[in-house]
Amino acid sequence: MRSFLLILILFSHCIVNLKKSFLPYLATLLIGNVSSTQTATFVSTDFVSAETLAPILISKTRKLGVVMSAEMSKDCKLSFNDVVTDSTVSLSEDLKTIYFTPLATGWPVKLNTVLFIKFSSCRDSKGNLIDTSGTGAPVYIADTVTYVDTKGSDSQDGKDTTPVATITKGIEIASQGCSGACALAVKGGEYILSSNLIIPTNVSIFGGFDPSDWKKRRADKTILSPYDTIITDTSVSVNATDGTNPYSSIKFTNYTGSREKTFLDGISINGPISGTSGSYISPIGSVNLASGSGINLRNVISNDRMNSTNVISTGFVSTNNNGYITIYNCTLNPSVTTNTLTTRYGIVYNGSSAGSEFTLAISTINSGTATLSSSGFFPTSTNSGTIFIAQSSIYGPSSSTGNSVGVTFNSNGTMAVSESIISASTGANSYGVEVMGGTSVVLSKNTITSAQATTNSGGIGLNSAVAVSSITENTITGGIGLTSTYGIYINNNASSLVSGNTITTSDCASCTIRGIQVLGGGTTVFSGNNIRTGNTGAVNNNRIIEVTNGTNVISGNTLNGGSGFTTSSGIEIGGGSIVIDSNTINGPSCSASTCTTSGIRLSFGNPFVLTNNTVVAGTCSGMTCTQSAVLISENGALLDITGNTLDSGNTTANTTNRYALSVTGGGIRWGVNSSIQRNTFINRTGSGNAITVSFDQSSANSNNLRFCSNVIKAGNNTNASASVALEISNATSVNNEFMGNTYIGGSTVGGNSSLHRILTANVVHDLEFNIFHGDSSAVASTRCITEFVAGTSIPRLSTNSFSNCSTFYFDNGGTNSMDTFCGGNFGAGGCGVVISPAGIGNLISAINFMNPTTLDYHLNTSTTSSAIYQGVVNPNGGANTFSNDCGNILDRDGNSRTINSAIGAYR
């Protein structure tokens, strides 16, 4: 037995898709074993070279030959993409070349995908079987191929051995002799046009062939001499005419063709130098598809060299299109000149039919400089088709007086953009993506940026009634706008999902800053975003998210604010309904002397649902400024505030007012059955007025407020001002329940520390099942309950625990009305004594917290039950009252309490 080795050096190819670009073709060894005393080796083919870098173009009638080093038999099969194809097999005179001749129908015609040729079941001249395997040699197959070479002659017939010299002549020959998928194979070199090139139905051009060898080809968007095939349009003063028939250096007229038959592949185009006033002067692509199916651009570079003013320059334009356009692995330049043109677009697309489709993938759209508003990608307003953009880079042109936009969507169709880089340049306004129409917009996993603008700069603007918009997992940066800068701007009545994005705004000297701004009345969901705003000065404000209308859900976001000058906030609510859940919010700071900064600010909007958030106010440094974790000034909103940690934030030496929760303003301050439960309210050390939770005057009648199972930590004051855990002004409504809370006092320097302070008359509410614990360092000036105005009626004060208060109950008016219902409270003085004996230790056992230095105010195990509950029967019903009035019997952590009546005693 003899061994026989067949080595076929062939090349693999990555089929075109939207996920990956063309890869270099890899050598594949096809190996088989036979019984032989000699070894046959592969020598060459007559259709592909070992050095080729791209699929080779062949005709369907071409005879394919494989040269071997030893004698072979005719027993051999040929397959395309693993499908065996019937053919006639013959041998050369020396028996070393195997020829495969197609039958009458020819090889399978494919220009849209690569076919891989493989050989199998081959035998040598002795009859020994050679098993072969591998990915095969990559080819495109056309009905006919016309060959073009700068060294050829237009008097020749366009065969591979007698090529023509011009592409124009090649198109003429292809059009006359072919009715199917007709193709031109064009060698590297520069081909000069004196007028634009008209490519008719079903004619394709494949460039990138080695000038010395039709078997070697390179076709990607990187020019590499000598493979690069360059078409240069030397036309001057071309007439742009109008938008229905724009001038193009290469113009497709695909009226009756199909997208499988019309390709431009491996070509670099230089457009005309000058033009007359008009629309759309472009190096490639006026596509008129009144009844056609579409065209494909692959591995194309366009360079618009236009230097005339008052024209519209584009890298690619389609008009009156109701078919399919695919642009893959291309670089399209609206202009490579430095001259400022009126308008520049990377791509202009018009899919006038709802069935039309445009796909841009793994491509780069570059920009030039314009005078008027310009865009990297611009679908016309009559577009009704579907647009897909993936893994591409789009750069909007800069504009001296107009807007610069990376991607514009101003149509009636749908658009989806994914895994792309989109950048706007400088202009009057600069927008990464601007949406002004359409039925659906999806932006996913993109990097979107805007640049400096003389007015507004923003990452994404949704400015119309798009039916549905989805903005997910993008990285979005708003540039510097002299008026405003923002990450996302939504002004429509549609439904929007904004999820998983990283959004950043730039610093600016005198602009308003918005991470996200919503002005429309639609339904918007913000979830899982990470938003950071920059810093602004002068008289402007800074808001991370601002909503003014509609239905809004803000969930699972991380928000970090920069600095503002006037009123600034992490979330600003100016209308609509709002649900804010499970966010981490660090509000922006502000620097004006009277500024207000908030983690969340509700001025208009109802209802207001705030659950499971961590909110920290930004700092303010003015002499009369205010910082609040949550500031509510809406009149009569239904409040549902549950399970949050609200922190007044760190302070500067000048901070005058600081709050964890401030419900302020006149009128009805909360709606019927409002609930504030299981929250932790924290006030930090500083100077000035420190009130952890503040309820301003309210004319709410019968609007019972449920304030239950909260922890309220008063701030320490470094000056003579008061420190208050909770303060409530005039509230004439009945059945306001303050139950199961833990009040923790703060220290003062010369002022009083109050745990529950009542400022005005006619406050009517219950205090039951609470723990009042003063700051031991300030015990001499600590009042557990303070009533500033005589005559206040508190119908129930029962079953509470008091410690570290010099005064149990202080009535500034000298009278009290609490004797009747004051029962079951713990403390040496009891309820009958208005001012208890000075000192501490009113409880049987002291309260001990888990770790006060880290703000952990759970009771630790050293706190006995008797310290918070002495078995006194609550005259008002005990735990059942709590369950009825608060709607549950849960502690601060949402668990059922382990000690019956002392609702604040959770561990």
Side-chain angles (χ1 to χ4, degrees):
M1 300 293 289
R2 295 178 299 175
S3 119
F4 184 38
L5 176 66
L6 170 64
I7 304 177
L8 296 180
I9 310 281
L10 298 176
F11 299 85
S12 65
H13 174 68
C14 179
I15 296 176
V16 174
N17 56 67
L18 299 184
K19 294 298 182 183
K20 59 179 70 175
S21 63
F22 288 127
L23 301 176
Y25 301 105
L26 307 176
T28 302
L29 301 180
L30 306 184
I31 301 174
N33 294 313
V34 299
S35 297
S36 179
T37 59
Q38 68 181 83
T39 301
T41 59
F42 167 80
V43 177
S44 66
T45 74
D46 62 357
F47 65 95
V48 66
S49 168
E51 291 88 23
T52 192
L53 299 172
I56 295 299
L57 178 69
I58 64 175
S59 73
K60 70 177 183 179
T61 59
R62 177 163 184 161
K63 180 167 66 173
L64 306 177
V66 179
V67 181
M68 305 299 297
S69 64
E71 294 180 355
M72 302 293 292
S73 72
K74 292 192 294 184
D75 292 332
C76 199
K77 294 184 181 299
L78 178 68
S79 64
F80 292 91
N81 290 357
D82 295 320
V83 177
V84 175
T85 302
D86 290 333
S87 62
T88 300
V89 182
S90 60
L91 295 173
S92 63
E93 186 174 338
D94 63 1
L95 305 181
K96 293 182 179 181
T97 302
I98 308 171
Y99 290 110
F100 299 89
T101 303
L103 301 182
T105 55
W107 308 126
V109 174
K110 285 287 184 180
L111 295 179
N112 58 324
T113 57
V114 179
L115 290 172
F116 295 97
I117 302 175
K118 292 196 295 186
F119 306 89
S120 62
S121 303
C122 299
R123 295 179 184 272
D124 66 3
S125 61
K126 304 293 185 180
N128 296 308
L129 180 65
I130 301 172
D131 293 328
T132 60
S133 63
T135 56
V139 296
Y140 294 118
I141 302 178
D143 283 286
T144 66
V145 177
T146 303
Y147 293 86
V148 184
D149 184 352
T150 56
K151 298 177 182 179
S153 172
D154 281 356
S155 63
Q156 299 185 140
D157 57 7
K159 305 295 184 184
D160 57 349
T161 56
T162 53
V164 296
T166 66
I167 296 176
T168 302
K169 184 63 176 179
I171 291 175
E172 178 185 333
I173 293 174
S175 301
Q176 292 173 351
C178 176
S179 60
C182 318
L184 272 62
V186 186
K187 283 187 174 181
E190 186 173 18
Y191 297 83
I192 305 299
L193 301 178
S194 58
S195 61
N196 61 339
L197 188 66
I198 307 298
I199 301 180
T201 297
N202 68 353
V203 174
S204 299
I205 300 178
F206 290 80
F209 286 87
D210 190 324
S212 64
D213 190 349
W214 289 113
K215 296 191 295 181
K216 291 191 293 184
R217 179 174 181 255
R218 178 184 179 113
D220 61 18
K221 61 182 179 180
T222 301
I223 295 177
L224 179 65
S225 180
Y227 296 94
D228 44 303
T229 300
I230 303 171
I231 298 174
T232 298
D233 185 353
T234 60
S235 304
V236 295
S237 300
V238 296
N239 186 356
T241 64
D242 56 46
T244 61
N245 190 23
Y247 179 89
S248 295
S249 295
I250 295 181
K251 180 175 289 189
F252 296 91
T253 55
N254 186 262
Y255 287 98
T256 60
S258 66
R259 58 177 168 168
E260 293 82 10
K261 297 180 179 180
T262 308
F263 287 82
L264 192 65
D265 191 335
I267 301 292
S268 178
I269 301 107
N270 294 320
I273 295 174
S274 62
T276 61
S277 177
S279 298
Y280 306 141
I281 294 181
S282 61
I284 59 172
S286 174
V287 183
N288 295 285
L289 296 170
S291 60
S293 178
I295 64 164
N296 303 269
L297 268 62
R298 291 188 303 223
N299 313 308
V300 170
I301 299 174
S302 73
N303 297 307
D304 187 352
R305 302 178 298 162
M306 186 63 55
N307 59 19
S308 302
T309 57
N310 300 318
V311 297
I312 299 174
S313 167
T314 70
F316 175 84
V317 58
S318 74
T319 57
N320 193 30
N321 168 39
N322 65 356
Y324 294 78
I325 296 175
T326 298
I327 298 178
Y328 180 87
N329 204 47
C330 297
T331 297
L332 307 179
N333 302 289
S335 184
V336 294
T337 66
T338 58
N339 183 55
T340 302
L341 298 180
T342 303
T343 301
R344 279 181 171 155
Y345 297 117
I347 293 175
V348 174
Y349 173 66
N350 174 22
S352 56
S353 169
S356 62
E357 185 175 300
F358 180 94
T359 299
L360 175 71
I362 316 178
S363 296
T364 300
I365 313 301
N366 285 329
S367 63
T369 303
T371 303
L372 300 181
S373 297
S374 298
S375 179
F377 180 81
F378 184 82
T380 63
S381 59
T382 57
N383 173 61
S384 298
T386 300
I387 296 170
F388 298 101
I389 299 175
Q391 295 181 322
S392 296
S393 299
I394 302 175
Y395 303 95
S398 62
S399 178
S400 57
T401 61
N403 299 338
S404 172
V405 185
V407 171
T408 300
F409 192 60
N410 181 23
S411 65
N412 300 314
T414 65
M415 180 175 73
V417 185
S418 65
E419 300 180 68
S420 296
I421 297 173
I422 303 171
S423 299
S425 301
T426 58
N429 296 288
S430 178
Y431 307 120
V433 176
E434 184 179 29
V435 178
M436 297 180 290
T439 57
S440 174
V441 173
V442 177
L443 303 173
S444 176
K445 299 181 180 179
N446 304 287
T447 298
I448 302 171
T449 60
S450 59
Q452 185 167 349
T454 55
T455 307
N456 304 309
S457 180
I460 298 174
L462 303 179
N463 294 287
S464 66
V466 180
V468 177
S469 61
S470 175
I471 304 172
T472 59
E473 299 184 66
N474 302 281
T475 299
I476 304 165
T477 303
I480 301 173
L482 296 186
T483 301
S484 69
T485 180
Y486 58 83
I488 299 176
Y489 174 85
I490 301 174
N491 185 14
N492 58 41
N493 296 320
S495 298
S496 299
L497 171 65
V498 180
S499 177
N501 303 283
T502 298
I503 303 171
T504 306
T505 68
S506 300
D507 297 338
C508 60
S510 59
C511 71
T512 59
I513 291 180
R514 302 289 185 270
I516 298 177
Q517 184 174 23
V518 182
L519 301 180
T523 299
T524 305
V525 176
F526 307 94
S527 66
N529 301 285
N530 190 326
I531 308 175
R532 180 179 294 276
T533 57
N535 303 312
T536 184
V539 295
N540 293 290
N541 51 45
N542 188 329
R543 291 163 186 172
I544 306 174
I545 295 179
E546 180 180 44
V547 296
T548 59
N549 211 336
T551 301
N552 300 279
V553 177
I554 303 175
S555 175
N557 304 280
T558 299
L559 311 181
N560 291 284
S563 65
F565 186 78
T566 56
T567 302
S568 297
S569 55
I571 299 178
E572 179 82 9
I573 306 147
S577 65
I578 187 78
V579 174
I580 303 175
D581 177 68
S582 301
N583 302 278
T584 299
I585 304 169
N586 294 291
S589 61
C590 64
S591 56
S593 60
T594 59
C595 75
T596 298
T597 180
S598 310
I600 299 173
R601 181 170 178 258
L602 173 69
S603 55
F604 294 97
N606 187 21
F608 175 68
V609 179
L610 184 69
T611 55
N612 304 314
N613 302 277
T614 298
V615 185
V616 181
T619 60
C620 65
S621 55
M623 296 303 296
T624 58
C625 68
T626 301
Q627 62 188 58
S628 307
V630 175
L631 175 61
I632 299 173
S633 58
E634 166 65 297
N635 187 10
L638 177 63
L639 306 179
D640 182 357
I641 302 175
T642 305
N644 306 281
T645 297
L646 307 184
D647 190 332
S648 69
N650 294 318
T651 62
T652 66
N654 295 323
T655 304
T656 304
N657 305 289
R658 59 189 190 276
Y659 306 90
L661 171 64
S662 177
V663 182
T664 185
I668 301 173
R669 294 271 52 84
W670 55 83
V672 178
N673 293 325
S674 288
S675 172
I676 301 176
Q677 301 197 44
R678 302 194 296 279
N679 303 282
T680 297
F681 301 102
I682 300 169
N683 211 324
R684 299 286 178 169
T685 299
S687 64
N689 190 33
I691 304 173
T692 307
V693 176
S694 174
F695 295 96
D696 207 345
Q697 287 191 356
S698 174
S699 59
N701 293 312
S702 301
N703 291 357
N704 53 305
L705 175 67
R706 297 172 173 178
F707 191 92
C708 305
S709 299
N710 301 286
V711 174
I712 311 106
K713 170 62 177 73
N716 299 327
N717 253 343
T718 58
N719 62 3
S721 299
S723 173
V724 181
L726 184 147
E727 177 179 273
I728 185 167
S729 297
N730 182 32
T732 57
S733 62
V734 297
N735 296 326
N736 292 317
E737 310 291 353
F738 289 79
M739 291 186 171
N741 304 289
T742 299
Y743 294 76
I744 303 164
S747 64
T748 63
V749 178
N752 291 315
S753 176
S754 296
L755 301 186
H756 190 99
R757 185 165 73 172
I758 304 165
L759 287 182
T760 56
N762 300 319
V763 173
V764 181
H765 59 249
D766 295 348
L767 280 166
E768 300 185 70
F769 315 115
N770 302 286
I771 294 174
F772 296 89
H773 184 77
D775 189 304
S776 59
S777 66
V779 67
S781 59
T782 299
R783 299 162 178 171
C784 280
I785 300 174
T786 299
E787 179 186 342
F788 261 54
V789 178
T792 299
S793 174
I794 302 181
R796 296 187 182 131
L797 179 67
S798 61
T799 323
N800 300 283
S801 298
F802 301 94
S803 63
N804 283 3
C805 295
S806 61
T807 303
F808 153 63
Y809 182 85
F810 179 81
D811 183 352
N812 197 49
T815 62
N816 74 89
S817 305
M818 298 173 60
D819 292 320
T820 303
F821 298 102
C822 182
N825 298 286
F826 310 149
C831 293
V833 179
V834 175
I835 301 177
S836 68
I840 63 174
N842 291 314
L843 289 178
I844 296 173
S845 299
I847 294 289
N848 294 292
F849 296 112
M850 191 69 72
N851 192 348
T853 59
T854 62
L855 302 177
D856 184 354
Y857 291 103
H858 291 83
L859 298 180
N860 67 16
T861 55
S862 63
T863 300
T864 63
S865 299
S866 60
I868 51 177
Y869 177 63
Q870 292 181 333
V872 178
V873 176
N874 186 325
N876 301 306
N880 291 332
T881 297
F882 190 97
S883 179
N884 293 334
D885 292 342
C886 289
N888 61 77
I889 193 164
L890 302 178
D891 65 16
R892 167 62 181 83
D893 296 325
N895 302 313
S896 296
R897 67 210 71 315
T898 57
I899 299 174
N900 188 31
S901 296
I903 199 69
Y906 55 91
R907 289 188 172 88

